[in-house]
Amino acid sequence: LLKTLQPSRSLLVSQTTFLTSEQLAERWQCHVQTIIRWRSAEIGPKFVKISNQVRYKLSDIEEYEAANTITPN
């Protein structure tokens, strides 16, 4: 008899945290329109766009913040 291999039913669940433009604006204490304007001008962290939904990976936000942190002398 031939055995049919069944694909695993377990799904890999991503532990990635995403923020909306509104959540990022709240985090940075600025207006959401500023985030939208910066995104249009290609300023700010990388973002993911699926259909018409824009999301920011928390890790990309933290990377952007670290790269733009200025330490006074």
Side-chain angles (χ1 to χ4, degrees):
L1 294 171
L2 292 175
K3 262 190 170 176
T4 305
L5 295 176
Q6 296 292 326
S8 172
R9 297 216 182 255
S10 65
L11 297 174
L12 295 177
V13 178
S14 173
Q15 296 300 318
T16 304
T17 301
F18 289 89
L19 273 63
T20 64
S21 298
E22 292 79 7
Q23 291 168 321
L24 180 57
E26 185 176 328
R27 178 184 177 99
W28 286 353
Q29 299 177 349
C30 66
H31 197 280
V32 68
Q33 205 55 42
T34 301
I35 300 298
I36 294 167
R37 188 175 62 250
W38 287 347
R39 186 173 63 237
S40 295
E42 298 182 359
I43 298 169
K46 297 181 279 188
F47 62 92
V48 177
K49 188 168 187 180
I50 301 171
S51 197
N52 63 347
Q53 303 278 323
V54 174
R55 297 290 184 266
Y56 296 88
K57 282 186 186 178
L58 181 57
S59 59
D60 289 338
I61 294 167
E62 292 170 338
E63 183 180 308
Y64 183 82
E65 291 169 343
N68 289 280
T69 298
I70 299 169
T71 305
N73 293 332

